[in-house]
């Protein structure tokens, strides 16, 4: 398997301090964690390290502060939630680095947990500043990256730090790489890829890669209108990304040379505007009249896609089929989500909104792997190397 990095399972951590980069970039509402999926996803690594007698210094970013403290983006609510989930006190550091933090770190004993403040309160984080990486390195004997959702960024706490401390993959990171890697490298066939979402430019590199790997790529979401435009089919007032039309034309051209089938919707659900209360109608065919916009794939398309999913050895789904946040336009996404949930093949879902859709329909427990990283999962599937992974120790080096 592709996973060639040193795992935390093989590291000696008893009595040592471990700096763990986690992805606690969670939504907050009224100063509380509104969704703790990402915190829960980090628990296995944190529990393993605590059981083995390590003291934990945790680092994460949250939102996009501008390189300086922003009280609205403090990790304090996360420390509280994590404390409940772990069942131990989680100390919250008032800053990322500095003399006060040195003292807090120095006081940690085996099993203790300290959460540093939002790493992006330091400008050096996104600049991958060596000095910040070195300062973070002072806190620990080894580094564990479990922040898959941030692994595609070369930041001080995701990449730079691994040049200061020996770096290991956490359990979540390892699982993400193994599950997503298997889709690309050793999928059970046929491999069926369902792609949707807003923008073709976000997903074109994935389409390109899977035209070489997959048996069928099924397109939904607003990005189908870039394909239709490229075919000269009028999109009405649908969301069309102008620069996507050229990309779509190229993909259609490449698909002709490929063994992989590239499938587009055959019917649509239209609305007058992007609004749940708008006038709605189903349209057999994919031409959209002016004054209307395509907001979902139609029932015939959804049924065809569901059938392809049911017959797949492996299913990769990324991107909703329509504007599923609005109930009148959620049907296509729900049908595909139900098909993915029921599919006998291996099912892997990536992308923040697709995962949100599955959870909204209560189907999130019925897929084999739900990726915690949107951008990171796309980059991995495109075949890009993730800087936060590359910088970790290679497996050989730890095999005794
Ligand atoms: P993911 O996060 O799963 O990768 P994207 O971020 O690419 O998905 O796209 C999700 C968004 O695309 C959703 O907010 C959804 O409303 C929107 N969307 C999907 N289909 C359409 C459509 N036909 N018209 C407008 N927006 C759409
Ligand atoms: Mg999204």
């Amino acid at each position: 398997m592709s996973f060639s990095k040193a795992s935390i399972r093989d590291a000696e951590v008893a009595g040592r301090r471990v700096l763990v980069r986690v992805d606690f970039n969670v939504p907050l509402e009224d100063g509380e964690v509104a969704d703790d999926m990402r915190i829960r996803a980090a628990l296995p690594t944190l529990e393993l390290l605590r059981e083995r007698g390590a003291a934990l210094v945790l680092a994460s970013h949250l939102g996009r502060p501008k390189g300086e403290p922003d009280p609205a983006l403090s990790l304090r609510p996360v420390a509280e939630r994590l404390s409940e989930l772990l069942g131990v006190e989680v100390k919250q550091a008032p800053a990322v680095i500095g003399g006060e933090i040195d003292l807090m770190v120095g006081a940690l004993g085996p099993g203790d947990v300290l959460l540093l403040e939002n790493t992006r309160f330091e400008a050096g984080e996104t600049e991958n500043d060596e000095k910040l990486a070195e300062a973070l390195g002072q806190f620990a004997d080894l580094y564990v990256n479990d922040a898959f959702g941030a692994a595609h960024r070369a930041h001080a706490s995701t990449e730079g730090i691994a040049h200061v401390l020996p770096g290991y993959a956490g359990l979540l990171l390892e699982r993400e790489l193994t599950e997503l890697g298997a889709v690309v490298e050793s999928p059970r066939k046929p491999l069926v890829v369902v792609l949707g979402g807003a923008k073709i430019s976000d997903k074109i590199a994935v389409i390109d890669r899977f035209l070489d790997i997959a048996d069928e790529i099924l397109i939904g979401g607003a990005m189908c209108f870039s394909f239709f435009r490229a075919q000269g089919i009028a999109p009405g007032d649908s969301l069309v990304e102008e620069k996507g039309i050229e990309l779509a034309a190229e993909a259609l051209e490449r698909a002709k040379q490929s063994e992989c089938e590239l499938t587009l919707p055959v019917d649509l659900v239209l609305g007058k505007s992007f609004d749940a209360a708008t006038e709605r109608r189903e349209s057999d065919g994919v031409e959209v009249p002016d004054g209307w916009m395509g907001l979902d794939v139609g029932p015939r398309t959804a049924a065809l896609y569901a059938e392809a999913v049911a017959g797949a050895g492996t299913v990769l789904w990324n991107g909703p089929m329509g504007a599923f946040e609005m109930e009148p336009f959620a049907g296509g996404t729900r049908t595909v989500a139900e098909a993915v949930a029921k599919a006998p093949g291996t099912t892997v879902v990536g992308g923040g909104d697709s995962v949100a859709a599955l959870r909204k329909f209560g189907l999130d427990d019925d897929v084999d792997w739900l990726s915690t990283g949107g951008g990171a999962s796309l980059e991995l599937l495109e075949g890009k190397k993730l800087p936060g992974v590359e910088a970790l120790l290679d497996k050989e080096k730890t095999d005794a």
Side-chain angles (χ1 to χ4, degrees), residues 140-162:
D141 306 298
L142 49 98
Y143 169 67
V144 171
N145 190 358
D146 212 24
F148 176 70
H152 58 316
R153 311 266 185 231
H155 291 171
S157 73
T158 62
E159 202 274 348
I161 179 82

Side-chain angles (χ1 to χ4, degrees), residues 111-183:
D112 287 348
V113 185
L114 172 71
L115 177 59
L116 300 178
E117 233 337 332
N118 190 338
T119 51
R120 291 194 190 169
F121 285 1
E122 290 289 328
E125 166 70 338
T126 56
E127 294 160 6
N128 199 2
D129 176 42
E130 263 174 55
K131 288 204 194 71
L132 178 58
E134 270 159 30
L136 291 169
Q138 297 293 314
F139 292 154
D141 306 298
L142 49 98
Y143 169 67
V144 171
N145 190 358
D146 212 24
F148 176 70
H152 58 316
R153 311 266 185 231
H155 291 171
S157 73
T158 62
E159 202 274 348
I161 179 82
H163 300 287
V164 181
L165 295 175
Y168 294 81
L171 300 177
L172 174 64
L173 186 79
E174 186 177 354
R175 182 89 196 267
E176 289 271 14
L177 296 171
T178 306
E179 299 286 348
L180 294 168
V183 170

Side-chain angles (χ1 to χ4, degrees), residues 198 202-203 320 351-354 374:
D202 286 348
K203 316 258 161 113
D353 291 288
S354 327

Side-chain angles (χ1 to χ4, degrees), residues 176-194:
E176 289 271 14
L177 296 171
T178 306
E179 299 286 348
L180 294 168
V183 170
V184 176
E185 286 167 25
S186 54
R188 275 200 290 150
K189 302 284 251 168
L191 169 58
V192 171
V193 179
V194 185

Side-chain angles (χ1 to χ4, degrees), residues 129-396:
D129 176 42
E130 263 174 55
K131 288 204 194 71
L132 178 58
E134 270 159 30
L136 291 169
Q138 297 293 314
F139 292 154
D141 306 298
L142 49 98
Y143 169 67
V144 171
N145 190 358
D146 212 24
F148 176 70
H152 58 316
R153 311 266 185 231
H155 291 171
S157 73
T158 62
E159 202 274 348
I161 179 82
H163 300 287
V164 181
L165 295 175
Y168 294 81
L171 300 177
L172 174 64
L173 186 79
E174 186 177 354
R175 182 89 196 267
E176 289 271 14
L177 296 171
T178 306
E179 299 286 348
L180 294 168
V183 170
V184 176
E185 286 167 25
S186 54
R188 275 200 290 150
K189 302 284 251 168
L191 169 58
V192 171
V193 179
V194 185
L195 289 178
K199 293 199 267 168
I200 181 176
S201 58
D202 286 348
K203 316 258 161 113
I204 189 69
V206 172
I207 295 176
D208 265 344
R209 182 113 192 268
F210 280 90
L211 280 172
D212 293 329
I213 304 173
D215 297 282
E216 187 169 10
I217 301 175
L218 306 152
I219 303 284
M223 71 171 166
C224 71
F225 299 106
S226 295
F227 285 93
F228 290 141
R229 272 290 300 276
Q231 293 176 324
I233 299 170
D237 298 342
S238 307
L239 186 68
V240 182
E241 194 187 359
E242 282 302 320
K243 70 174 173 186
I245 301 169
E246 188 62 35
L247 299 174
E250 285 162 20
L252 287 166
E253 210 38 57
R254 285 206 51 216
K256 283 187 199 155
Q257 327 295 325
S258 152
E259 305 273 295
C260 174
E261 226 175 303
L262 186 63
T263 304
L264 297 172
V266 293
D267 61 347
L268 297 169
V269 179
L270 310 181
K272 291 240 162 186
S273 61
F274 196 90
D275 174 2
T278 190
E279 192 181 331
R280 171 193 188 277
R281 73 177 171 90
E282 287 174 12
S283 134
D284 205 17
V286 291
E287 211 175 283
V288 183
D290 287 342
W292 291 86
M293 58 201 320
L295 289 173
D296 193 10
V297 300
R300 268 201 310 132
T301 304
L304 286 170
Y305 288 15
E307 199 180 306
V309 162
T314 306
V315 182
L316 172 67
W317 177 31
N318 181 298
M321 296 292 98
F324 75 97
E325 300 91 339
M326 303 186 285
E327 196 46 42
F329 306 103
T333 304
R334 183 182 279 109
T335 299
V336 165
E338 283 167 353
V340 171
K342 275 206 302 263
T346 304
T347 52
V348 176
V349 180
D353 291 288
S354 327
V355 171
L358 270 171
R359 296 175 76 202
K360 175 182 149 119
F361 304 140
L363 299 169
D364 46 318
D365 286 339
D366 300 322
V367 298
D368 293 309
W369 187 246
L370 272 190
S371 180
T372 55
S377 69
L378 285 176
E379 291 199 16
L380 190 74
L381 293 168
E382 287 164 18
K384 286 204 191 125
K385 303 236 180 263
L386 307 183
V389 175
E390 291 306 303
L392 301 175
L393 293 178
D394 289 323
K395 195 161 226 133
E396 302 85 78

